[in-house]
Amino acid sequence: MIKKIATLHSFKGWILTFILLGIALVLLPLLNLLVPEESVLHVPDYIFSLLGKYLCYALVALAVDLIWGYTGILSLGHGVFFSMGGYAMGMYLMRSIGKEGVYKSDLPDFMVFLDWKELPWYWYGFDYFAFTLLVILILPGLFAFTFGYFAFRSRIKGVYFAIITQAMTYALMLLFFRNNTGFGGNNGLTDFKRILGYSLHEPSTKVGLYIITIIVLFLSYLLSRYVVRSKLGRILTAIRDAESRVMFSGYNTLHYKLFVWTLSAFLCGIAGALYVPQVGIINPSEMQPSNSIEMAIWVAVGGRGTLSGALIGAGLVNGAKSWFTVAAPDYWLYFLGTLFIVLTLFFPKGLVGFFSRFSSKDKMREPS
Amino acid sequence: MDSPGAHIKDDSIDATHGCILYIEGLTVSFDGFKALNNLNLYIDDGELRCIIGPNGAGKTTMMDVITGKTRPDHGTVFFGQSHDLTKMTEYEISHMGIGRKFQKPTVFLNHTVFENLELALHAKKGVWQSLTRSLVGEQRDTIEEGLETIGLKEQKNLRSALLSHGQKQWLEIGMLLVQNPRLLLIDEPVAGMTHQETERTAELLKSLAGKHSVVVVEHEMDFIRSIANRVTVLHEGHVLADGKMEEVQNDPKVIEVYLGS
């Protein structure tokens, strides 16, 4: 088992991975705890929630890359899976507030506000973390499996698939906007107090969530790496490049597409669940069509079909977004659109693809 | 005399009557246009058959029906005596032992030559097996053998996008071979090939007959003359003539629709 994992990277790759993990898991928390606040080297508390958010986006990018970069199926609806994980976690966090809400009721504030007398049935169970965890791990994948089964069985592909996923996220957004749906309407779920008894306002809880996110991202990365380097991974790229040849080679491509689509939704749901406690809110705007499109852009920027590209893309675009929304909030979308056009025209393989042109290893396989 | 096909391990295909493929009364129409019109065709086990015919004669449509890509309006296609291909999906048909080469070379351009053969290799092809299993020695041997047969041993670690047009055609044939099929359907194997490449391809296909049944669709007359024992001429969706190359060539009906022009 360990031997198998060890072959996932070259020696250099593992060194790099562990250096990054060391910085993220040890160095940053130490700089926060041990270095006095006046020092330039001090890492302020808020950094952890911010980085935690980026790491969740990186996990989303990983998920989108599996289905789009490797298998060639563009999804513009991953916001749905992200939101499902997010809402499940949000419901648990709402129930954890107890009677400390504004109205001092056992029901979540928005329900009191709507004059609801009792908890809707689909909120049952979210008092328990174990149940919530189960929903987070199962629901997005199950939903994706069902949706994917019908779409792939009907051989919907390419731009048509992208459009129906976009329609799916839009429809669900409208559904969640309604107050009667019972998920807090357009305000969503917020004002969380604690998770598993730990206060969400404590810096230590924030660092804890950040560390868990890193570990989850690392494990998801290893899993994805294992998948794309197996024969199954080669079949996925083969489906992307020549699906009919794969079918005539005796593979039921429906099963392969369903597998990677479900895996992708599963990872995306986990990302959403980790995102909510660190950001403190989940609302239907996460299901805006533009959000799902942005997810695809992260992958395009970093480089489709490379896992490191997805991670880098998510980091860079969101870093830029954080800076832009402070410096020139009106221009962010223009910038994003321009970036996407320029990249598609001049760097179709993204940044990683662009730079790997100069590395010696790839010259073996590419024309010089 | 040995029963034909006795050398082939897979005994689920019943070819005891000497035929591997039975096409009977096959009709396919697209918006009223009959691409195939009551087509009857039988392929013997182990034979190399060439199919010719002008454009629109229904050659590719016939391949599509055999491989499950197109469903016929009427008629049956039996593989051996007991398997009705018109009720099966593409991957099931491939599993039964029918390999198809497309008109345009279709290989996995981003994979190496070796990986292309690995993916095509006859093996369990479920999701779980693909995720957990790696190649065993015997399978590597089969791939190496395939590389030898198609003459791409030197290029085995090359990305297949970098192969020449002819090499891609051979690679695709190699991918069919490692699937260990009973029947190979080969659509225009020498289109766009140089003279030398064409000759090598002819050698390759001739060496396959006997071990496999091979059906070749082709336009290139010299090439057909060099490989064919038996030629079937399709015209407007049905068989116009059938027999030895010389007979077919001198058939006035054939000369009128095809060879004469």
Side-chain angles (χ1 to χ4, degrees):
Chain A
M1 180 74 185
I2 288 175
K3 232 178 173 179
K4 234 176 178 178
I5 294 175
T7 57
L8 289 178
H9 268 303
S10 63
F11 186 67
K12 255 164 84 185
W14 277 116
I15 298 273
L16 187 67
T17 311
F18 282 115
I19 289 176
L20 286 173
L21 273 179
I23 293 175
L25 280 177
V26 182
L27 190 64
L28 289 183
L30 281 183
L31 286 179
N32 171 260
L33 287 173
L34 300 183
V35 178
E37 276 182 43
E38 312 81 70
S39 165
V40 217
L41 287 174
H42 177 75
V43 173
D45 291 343
Y46 78 87
I47 284 289
F48 293 102
S49 289
L50 188 68
L51 283 180
K53 190 171 94 169
Y54 289 175
L55 291 166
C56 293
Y57 288 151
L59 184 50
V60 170
L62 208 60
V64 173
D65 198 19
L66 283 177
I67 187 76
W68 186 33
Y70 283 90
T71 321
I73 299 170
L74 174 59
S75 160
L76 295 178
H78 263 52
V80 164
F81 310 128
F82 184 81
S83 302
M84 280 185 170
Y87 266 97
M89 179 58 95
M91 286 159 84
Y92 165 76
L93 296 174
M94 287 307 271
R95 298 302 293 148
S96 303
I97 295 172
K99 295 194 180 191
E100 290 164 43
V102 180
Y103 299 108
K104 307 292 171 213
S105 159
D106 185 46
L107 291 181
D109 281 347
F110 76 89
M111 292 187 192
V112 180
F113 186 74
L114 291 171
D115 205 21
W116 290 8
K117 296 295 176 225
E118 53 186 289
L119 205 62
W121 61 268
Y122 46 83
W123 277 73
Y124 294 168
F126 285 96
D127 297 270
Y128 307 101
F129 187 74
F131 176 84
T132 308
L133 197 62
L134 220 57
V135 172
I136 292 166
L137 296 180
I138 292 174
L139 188 70
L142 190 68
F143 181 79
F145 183 88
T146 317
F147 181 89
Y149 177 78
F150 289 107
F152 297 138
R153 198 189 58 160
S154 317
R155 303 205 173 169
I156 294 172
K157 50 182 98 169
V159 67
Y160 302 101
F161 186 80
I163 289 170
I164 62 165
T165 53
Q166 182 91 119
M168 167 186 79
T169 190
Y170 190 66
L172 280 169
M173 178 187 75
L174 294 181
L175 181 71
F176 275 62
F177 262 131
R178 293 173 67 242
N179 281 329
N180 287 340
T181 313
F183 297 107
N186 60 350
N187 295 319
L189 309 175
T190 187
D191 292 331
F192 310 131
K193 302 270 189 273
R194 63 181 72 84
I195 181 166
L196 288 168
Y198 299 99
S199 165
L200 283 168
H201 304 292
E202 282 295 319
S204 61
T205 313
K206 288 180 183 167
V207 174
L209 284 167
Y210 159 81
I211 287 174
I212 290 169
T213 312
I214 291 179
I215 293 169
V216 170
L217 178 63
F218 177 63
L219 293 177
S220 307
Y221 172 77
L222 287 186
L223 176 69
S224 308
R225 180 96 183 157
Y226 176 75
V227 167
V228 301
R229 293 190 26 122
S230 68
K231 183 180 165 201
L232 185 135
R234 291 192 282 283
I235 294 166
L236 296 179
T237 37
I239 289 175
R240 179 191 69 192
D241 296 340
E243 186 175 353
S244 57
R245 171 46 73 214
V246 181
M247 283 198 282
F248 288 121
S249 300
Y251 296 95
N252 187 349
T253 52
L254 170 68
H255 292 174
Y256 283 83
K257 290 198 249 181
L258 264 182
F259 170 81
V260 68
W261 171 247
T262 307
L263 174 66
S264 177
F266 167 78
L267 294 177
C268 208
I270 296 176
L274 287 166
Y275 172 86
V276 168
Q278 303 190 72
V279 175
I281 183 166
I282 174 83
N283 63 32
S285 69
E286 296 297 338
M287 285 182 271
Q288 272 174 25
S290 60
N291 270 35
S292 295
I293 294 173
E294 225 173 273
M295 292 170 181
I297 296 180
W298 303 338
V299 177
V301 169
R304 269 174 284 167
T306 55
L307 295 176
S308 54
L311 302 179
I312 292 169
L316 283 180
V317 177
N318 284 298
K321 185 179 184 177
S322 295
W323 181 79
F324 251 98
T325 41
V326 174
D330 293 342
Y331 295 104
W332 166 243
L333 280 178
Y334 294 105
F335 172 77
L336 191 68
T338 316
L339 181 74
F340 192 46
I341 293 170
V342 169
L343 269 160
T344 320
L345 286 179
F346 300 108
F347 308 100
K349 289 183 172 173
L351 294 175
V352 169
F354 180 70
F355 285 110
S356 71
R357 228 193 270 177
F358 304 111
S359 84
S360 56
K361 201 177 116 208
D362 273 37
K363 270 189 191 144
M364 302 279 287
R365 300 183 80 184
E366 304 265 354
S368 50
Chain B
M1 188 187 141
D2 271 5
S3 88
H7 49 276
I8 297 171
K9 282 174 230 143
D10 184 358
D11 55 4
S12 67
I13 309 300
D14 180 8
T16 45
H17 290 226
C19 260
I20 187 77
L21 191 71
Y22 301 77
I23 298 177
E24 285 172 348
L26 202 61
T27 300
V28 175
S29 48
F30 300 114
D31 298 325
F33 169 72
K34 283 194 173 165
L36 293 179
N37 190 1
N38 196 21
L39 174 73
N40 296 297
L41 187 70
Y42 305 92
I43 305 293
D44 291 340
D45 197 22
E47 85 164 312
L48 171 61
R49 175 80 66 96
C50 282
I51 296 185
I52 59 175
N55 282 327
K59 302 176 304 260
T60 300
T61 307
M62 183 188 79
M63 296 268 200
D64 285 346
V65 174
I66 298 172
T67 51
K69 198 178 171 198
T70 302
R71 297 280 178 229
D73 301 331
H74 304 289
T76 56
V77 180
F78 271 86
F79 186 44
Q81 305 207 12
S82 46
H83 297 279
D84 186 355
L85 298 178
T86 59
K87 303 213 164 37
M88 296 164 74
T89 62
E90 289 104 320
Y91 72 94
E92 285 168 340
I93 291 171
S94 161
H95 256 290
M96 299 272 314
I98 297 183
R100 176 181 187 180
K101 202 199 89 53
F102 294 95
Q103 206 164 336
K104 186 170 156 262
T106 313
V107 295
F108 306 128
L109 296 176
N110 287 308
H111 291 309
T112 65
V113 169
F114 185 90
E115 286 167 342
N116 266 277
L117 294 177
E118 180 209 2
L119 294 188
L121 190 67
H122 183 75
K124 291 227 160 114
K125 288 179 171 171
V127 170
W128 185 248
Q129 285 94 348
S130 302
L131 188 61
T132 53
R133 292 202 189 157
S134 38
L135 283 176
V136 295
E138 199 182 319
Q139 292 175 315
R140 279 184 190 280
D141 294 345
T142 313
I143 295 177
E144 294 294 339
E145 250 170 63
L147 285 168
E148 190 95 50
T149 313
I150 56 175
L152 292 177
K153 237 182 154 82
E154 307 267 294
Q155 289 84 359
K156 94 178 190 187
N157 290 321
L158 203 65
R159 221 158 57 92
S160 70
L162 305 177
L163 296 177
S164 73
H165 177 78
Q167 288 172 324
K168 279 180 199 152
Q169 300 271 33
W170 293 330
L171 174 58
E172 198 179 359
I173 294 174
M175 289 167 73
L176 303 189
L177 287 181
V178 295
Q179 280 182 53
N180 194 22
R182 284 291 288 273
L183 173 64
L184 284 156
L185 304 172
I186 299 183
D187 207 348
E188 301 204 13
V190 297
M193 276 193 180
T194 65
H195 188 67
Q196 275 172 322
E197 287 174 329
T198 305
E199 273 179 13
R200 275 196 65 184
T201 309
E203 289 305 314
L204 179 58
L205 291 179
K206 275 196 276 187
S207 74
L208 299 179
K211 266 191 277 180
H212 315 266
S213 310
V214 184
V215 175
V216 179
V217 165
E218 188 47 76
H219 278 298
E220 169 64 41
M221 279 301 157
D222 289 334
F223 175 72
I224 293 171
R225 242 174 247 125
S226 70
I227 63 166
N229 297 319
R230 199 167 153 200
V231 177
T232 300
V233 184
L234 291 192
H235 179 54
E236 292 177 349
H238 63 269
V239 174
L240 184 73
D242 182 279
K244 287 217 174 340
M245 186 68 185
E246 308 86 67
E247 296 165 20
V248 167
Q249 254 177 318
N250 297 324
D251 188 323
K253 282 185 297 183
V254 176
I255 294 173
E256 192 191 327
V257 303
Y258 189 48
L259 294 173
S261 61

